[in-house]
Amino acid sequence: MSRQAQSRTQPITRRPADTEGQDEICPVCKSSRYLTPSLRFLINPECYHKFCESCVDRIFSHGPAPCPIPGCHKTLRKHRFRTPTFSDLQVEREVDIRKKVAAVFNRREEEFEDLRAYNDYLNEVEDITFNLINHVEVEETEKRFKSYQLAHQAEITDNVALAEQERTSFAQLQKEERDQAKQRRDAARREDAEEKRELVENRRDVLNRLASGQDAEVVAKEGQQVHLKKRMDRVAAAERQRVLQAASNGSSNIVIKGLKARQKQEPDAPIDPFGGLSYEGKYHVLQDDYVWAGVQESKADVLIGAGGYDVRAFTGRALCEAFAGLGVFVADEMDDRDRQKMGDEKNDEIATKGAEVAASKGASTAKGKQKDTVMEDPF
Amino acid sequence: MATSPALDVPVEPPSKRQKMSSEPEFSSSPAPVADLAEQLDAQERKMYVKGKKIGSGQYADVFSAHLVSDLKRLVAIKKIKVGAEAKEFGISYDSLREIRFLQELDHPNIIKLYSVFSTKSQNLNLVLEYLPQGDLLKLVQDTTNISYTPADIKSWMLMLMRATYFCHQNFVLHRDIKPNNLLIAANGEIKLADFGLARSFADPFQVMTYNTVTIWYRPPELFFQAQFYGGGVDVWSCGCVFAELVARDVLFRALPENEINMVKLICEKVGTPTEDNWPGVSKLKGYVTPSEYIPIRSKDQWMMAFRAIGETGVDLLMKMLTLDPRKRLNAEQVLKHSFWTDEPRPSRLEDLPRKGGGVVAMGEELTKMGGEIPYGKARGDKVARKIDFGA
């Protein structure tokens, strides 16, 4: 009965979870909040047992000591004791673990190329967290955690720096925005005052002119026009100002988050030094030697050989030219060409007709640029 | 002037070469007043809108332009200046060569010639691909702002070698391969340009000029005045470009730029050409070597200077810079070398370093004559022609 009365006397100062009696009593010295209202409880993240401040002082001020709770053999140090944020110590512990894990697994969404990879990563992080919280395979998980930390040391520090930078720039941005809003308000206020002053001035001016004996109607009309004009000017100026401001800090407060822009990663084809060129003669095969006086004599001539003149280049050319016209039907090719021109007017090169005709000699099937690569002889 | 063996094109008025107009047949048009050639020319000319001048030289002006039908399709129009020479001899050989070969070659790593037309007073206009990223030389020289990796070098060299291989397969010798003739397209691709010194492969016993290729990139057989040569000359130039990309300096920078100094430099850096390592070399007309004999440089010595490209890279470089053109790899063998497929993989186009200054650089580049030394202002830059392509 007396308990109920107590809880009613101080309903506001108490947190709801504190209503349970054992939370109010230090397990070591058994002093309770009822007798000492200034009692503060501390916990140590080593084992999350809760002691009152005076017990912590007494037991641990001479250095590390074992936890006084029976059955808990953890060694505790005084400097690690702190006030718990949550009254539920399970929650306290979970939050601590999550903080610790998040500090190491701090990769960002931008680092991933597809959603799948990002989700896999998040899943892995959650697995580790879950295991640590619920004491599942703790040792192995710790090992995984450590190895990740070791392997990604550089990235982790990078991301920490990045996050810090973002935080500060965000704060700065907010401050700037506040400043600008204030400036806008001030400007509006000044404008209002100005407008009022001008109105009064205008009126006085009109009165003066009337007093000096000018035509009443004209004066009134003019006065109105002047007033109107000034006002329009002001509106235009304000508008300009607004546009300028919008441009200066336009997109600054938009933060775009998301996956890394996807880059096409095609596996590179093996290098073909010839770039697709091929000069296999379709109708002729070049022999090493030809029994013809011209060829034989030039082969024998020291002067010709020493200069690097290659007789094979000559015989090759002669053969090529002899056979270049075979299988070429100019009429067909012109049809082809016309059709192609209709087809891909846009990407077709404005190659000269001469070149085109020559180019299509080799094989009329190839198209566009490819056509030229099979050219056998342009001459 | 006698016809040059270096030029096997009959010189004819430009209007006759306008086979690229879209008017297909004679029968389709009634041919009212102007003659057909002029009509076709006008038609071609009206396809482009000429814009700002992006480069101007003694030899040509370069304008940026776009298609009438599509404002986004940019092209460069190289307008060849008519000079006193033109009045006397017609169009210059350089432009003829350029038109002749570019018209036929269509490869991703070779600058495209879309069309040719003439304007009033018989000016020749070449419509070329628009290459806004400058040239390779700018990248090589800007050592402070640009750094690139061996993978980038491999990527560039691969593109260059593909272009060279394509030319050779189509029996065209470029004869002026050097970093500032390698323009860079908007997507980072290398484009071989300036076919002003190109020619097609010669028949046996047909004499070719040995006075070609920019002197620093010229192979030893041309210094020895060989009149019969082949694709090896381009491969040597490619080798020089390769070395220059690695060392970021011209490999054979002879100063003052004359043949004697070049031969000396090649002997120093590669070795003295002798009958042993180059059978028949002493028979060549201009065979001279410094009195001091320098043995062929060993692979270790090459490795010292070009470690960056690895052992296979140095192996390829050595084989591209072999003295004897017969032992030198040809373009096909170069492409078959294991260097290209080894690690590191050539950089992708989008990863290659870029440099601004592009359009202007392209403008400058296209105005130049072949065979000019690209570095700074040298004595004699103002001299009309340094090289006589005549024979």
Side-chain angles (χ1 to χ4, degrees), chain A residues 269 272 309 352-353 355 372, chain B residues 22 103 106 114 162 201-202 345:
Chain A
D272 171 19
Y309 184 88
T352 56
K353 300 266 156 66
D372 304 305
Chain B
S22 55
Q103 192 165 262
D106 185 0
Y114 294 127
R162 279 175 182 167
F201 281 26
R345 195 189 163 83

Side-chain angles (χ1 to χ4, degrees), chain A residues 264 268-279 292-295 297-299 301-311 313-314 316-318 320-321 334 337 341 345-356 358-359 368-369 372-373 375-379, chain B residues 19-23 25 47-48 67 73 75 100-101 103-108 112-116 158 162 165-166 169-172 200-205 208 221 226 228-231 278-281 283-285 324-326 332 335-337 340-341 345-346 348:
Chain A
K264 277 198 295 254
D268 291 329
I271 292 288
D272 171 19
F274 288 86
L277 288 182
S278 154
Y279 287 92
W292 178 60
V295 170
E297 280 168 29
S298 55
K299 257 194 169 171
D301 194 324
V302 183
L303 273 180
I304 290 182
Y309 184 88
D310 188 1
V311 183
F314 164 71
R317 178 179 187 177
C320 180
E321 281 172 355
M334 280 168 69
R337 190 188 65 205
K341 272 221 158 158
E345 189 85 65
K346 270 180 196 159
N347 51 16
D348 195 19
E349 307 291 351
I350 348 164
T352 56
K353 300 266 156 66
E356 246 178 86
K369 277 186 187 167
D372 304 305
T373 61
M375 144 161 73
E376 274 187 301
D377 172 31
F379 299 115
Chain B
K19 53 183 171 183
M20 65 292 293
S21 76
S22 55
E23 201 73 24
E25 246 59 62
M47 281 172 63
Y48 306 97
L67 286 185
R73 279 291 296 274
V75 293
R100 177 179 178 210
F101 294 113
Q103 192 165 262
E104 309 288 0
L105 297 172
D106 185 0
H107 184 269
K112 279 198 184 35
L113 175 68
Y114 294 127
S115 99
V116 181
L158 184 54
R162 279 175 182 167
Y165 174 64
F166 185 80
Q169 281 301 317
N170 291 297
F171 315 112
V172 175
S200 68
F201 281 26
D203 290 345
F205 299 109
M208 289 185 268
E221 63 264 31
F228 312 97
Y229 50 86
W278 185 350
V281 65
K283 305 277 190 328
L284 291 173
K285 202 165 69 181
D324 185 348
R326 276 165 301 185
E332 186 179 349
L335 285 177
K336 280 181 178 159
H337 196 273
W340 311 110
T341 44
R345 195 189 163 83
R348 289 172 305 168

Side-chain angles (χ1 to χ4, degrees), chain A residues 66 74 102 146 167 182 204 226 243 248 258 274 289 343 376:
Chain A
K74 295 265 166 57
K146 283 272 153 53
R167 215 170 14 249
K182 186 165 174 292
R204 196 185 303 139
V226 167
V243 170
S248 69
F274 288 86
D289 203 0
E376 274 187 301

